[in-house]
Amino acid sequence: MDANLGHVLLIANPAAQNGNGAKAIEAVVPLLREALGEQNVVLARTVGPHHATDLAKRAQGADTVIALGGDGVIHEIVNGLMQRDGFERPALGVIPVGSGNDFARSLGISSRPDIACGQILRGCQSAIDMGCANGQWFMETLSFGLDAAIAIDTMERRKKSGKSGAALYMESGFDQLLHHLDSYRYTASFDGGEPVSGESITFAVQNGPYYGGGFKICPEARLDDGVLDLCIAHPPVSVAKAIYLFLRAKGGGHVGFRNIEMLRCTTAHIEFEQQPPAQVDGEKLQGRVFDVRLDPASLRVIAPLGQ
């Protein structure tokens, strides 16, 4: 169907990507208002953590919410939108201004704000699935263990260095692989089946294929296929083998190796013996026991034609 944006609430993080969010706001707002009319585009700048969630939850009168920022602010907005009843839930558009932009990558949205704006204006609406872990909604990724430790470490390095993107993820990844190649014992059941016990270095639960700024951890994952894709890396793995698999995962080339298990499910109950590093859409998540489910076709998004 046509995008038909209607009344738009643009929720923008001016601090995104070391201040590039503010520049993107100045570029995008005139384009949207010229195309849709001054009165049909309301700008709301975020001022701190969780503000975007509150703005999206209270977006009364908005037909479309456009998120301008990184995966973190998109994650917050999604969690606000998913608190709205389905029949009154606005559609979501994304103008990525972040270091990873994995959700935008899955949608086929450009990392250039002006092009992304044009894609939204000319795009079409479609319904995508949403994942939920212990009450936290995720649009792209949930993971435990090594990859989560890398994501968390990447956030700290970004604050200190100002670096971003896959290069920063690689830098953090090599550090974690060399010094923190830990494994975590778990018991899990998938789709209500019999519990299975195992040990994992990486345990990724994906709605879309990407994490870490373009690492294709679950190459076959799709946002609208009605299932979650899982990638579990089992020990033993030497440091050299782990580095090799890490590098291959950039393009999805890790699939098929003996240590890598790929699964699909719609629900999962996962209990770790000790609390692992955990992340959801790049944000830190606490816990040892996780209930995960998929809510199919629950959020309308705007993506380029042909995606």
Side-chain angles (χ1 to χ4, degrees), residues 10 41 74 81 100 143 162 173 191 199 220 232 235 244 248 256 276 301:
L10 174 64
V41 180
I74 300 169
L81 292 176
S143 69
D191 291 332
E199 197 170 353
E220 300 302 316
I232 307 172
Y244 176 72
R248 288 189 65 88
V301 295

Side-chain angles (χ1 to χ4, degrees), residues 28 31 109-122:
V28 161
L31 294 175
I109 296 288
S110 171
S111 59
R112 278 186 49 180
D114 56 338
I115 295 177
C117 183
Q119 288 177 309
I120 291 172
L121 290 169
R122 297 186 301 271

Side-chain angles (χ1 to χ4, degrees), residues 121-155:
L121 290 169
R122 297 186 301 271
C124 62
Q125 286 189 22
S126 60
I128 66 166
D129 311 325
M130 291 299 302
C132 189
N134 291 4
Q136 276 282 318
W137 294 96
F138 62 96
M139 67 272 181
E140 185 78 16
T141 177
L142 162 72
S143 69
F144 314 100
L146 174 67
D147 45 358
I150 295 171
I152 294 165
D153 182 65
T154 297
M155 286 190 286

Side-chain angles (χ1 to χ4, degrees), residues 246-262:
F246 177 70
L247 292 172
R248 288 189 65 88
K250 177 64 177 170
H254 60 298
V255 176
F257 281 81
R258 181 173 55 84
N259 298 87
I260 303 297
E261 180 183 9
M262 307 297 292

Side-chain angles (χ1 to χ4, degrees), residues 194-230:
E194 288 296 316
V196 294
S197 294
E199 197 170 353
S200 65
I201 297 169
T202 287
F203 195 127
V205 181
Q206 296 290 129
N207 189 34
Y210 300 106
Y211 70 8
F215 276 72
K216 213 168 188 180
I217 188 66
C218 288
E220 300 302 316
R222 298 292 180 269
L223 295 171
D224 60 355
D225 61 1
V227 292
L228 293 166
D229 284 60
L230 282 63

Side-chain angles (χ1 to χ4, degrees), residues 12-276:
N13 177 13
Q17 206 180 39
N18 302 312
N20 283 332
K23 297 177 184 177
I25 292 169
E26 297 304 313
V28 161
V29 169
L31 294 175
L32 289 173
R33 287 181 171 161
E34 181 181 358
L36 303 174
E38 186 91 15
Q39 73 283 0
N40 286 325
V41 180
V42 175
L43 169 64
R45 293 179 172 87
T46 61
V47 296
H50 311 299
H51 187 203
T53 297
D54 186 54
L55 289 168
K57 182 182 176 181
R58 297 187 295 105
Q60 300 299 327
D63 301 297
T64 304
V65 169
I66 296 178
L68 187 154
D71 284 332
V73 77
I74 300 169
H75 172 78
E76 287 193 11
I77 288 169
V78 161
N79 274 273
L81 292 176
M82 293 303 291
Q83 293 182 54
R84 307 276 298 271
D85 290 334
F87 68 89
E88 62 172 23
R89 189 175 296 151
L92 174 67
V94 173
I95 298 174
V97 186
S99 60
N101 300 329
D102 285 315
F103 182 57
R105 187 175 285 105
S106 290
L107 290 175
I109 296 288
S110 171
S111 59
R112 278 186 49 180
D114 56 338
I115 295 177
C117 183
Q119 288 177 309
I120 291 172
L121 290 169
R122 297 186 301 271
C124 62
Q125 286 189 22
S126 60
I128 66 166
D129 311 325
M130 291 299 302
C132 189
N134 291 4
Q136 276 282 318
W137 294 96
F138 62 96
M139 67 272 181
E140 185 78 16
T141 177
L142 162 72
S143 69
F144 314 100
L146 174 67
D147 45 358
I150 295 171
I152 294 165
D153 182 65
T154 297
M155 286 190 286
E156 297 303 316
R157 289 172 184 260
R158 187 184 307 138
K159 293 173 185 175
K160 294 175 183 176
S161 68
K163 296 178 182 177
S164 64
L168 182 61
Y169 190 84
M170 294 277 281
E171 177 185 307
S172 176
F174 282 119
D175 182 60
Q176 294 291 323
L177 285 163
L178 289 170
H179 303 111
H180 304 284
L181 190 58
D182 303 319
S183 60
Y184 297 86
R185 293 203 61 81
Y186 67 86
T187 299
S189 59
F190 306 105
D191 291 332
E194 288 296 316
V196 294
S197 294
E199 197 170 353
S200 65
I201 297 169
T202 287
F203 195 127
V205 181
Q206 296 290 129
N207 189 34
Y210 300 106
Y211 70 8
F215 276 72
K216 213 168 188 180
I217 188 66
C218 288
E220 300 302 316
R222 298 292 180 269
L223 295 171
D224 60 355
D225 61 1
V227 292
L228 293 166
D229 284 60
L230 282 63
C231 176
I232 307 172
H234 297 284
V237 180
S238 67
V239 171
K241 179 71 172 292
I243 290 173
Y244 176 72
L245 289 173
F246 177 70
L247 292 172
R248 288 189 65 88
K250 177 64 177 170
H254 60 298
V255 176
F257 281 81
R258 181 173 55 84
N259 298 87
I260 303 297
E261 180 183 9
M262 307 297 292
L263 300 170
R264 281 181 167 170
C265 66
T266 57
T267 65
H269 178 79
I270 310 162
E271 297 187 16
F272 290 93
E273 285 189 1
Q274 57 179 316
Q275 182 170 306

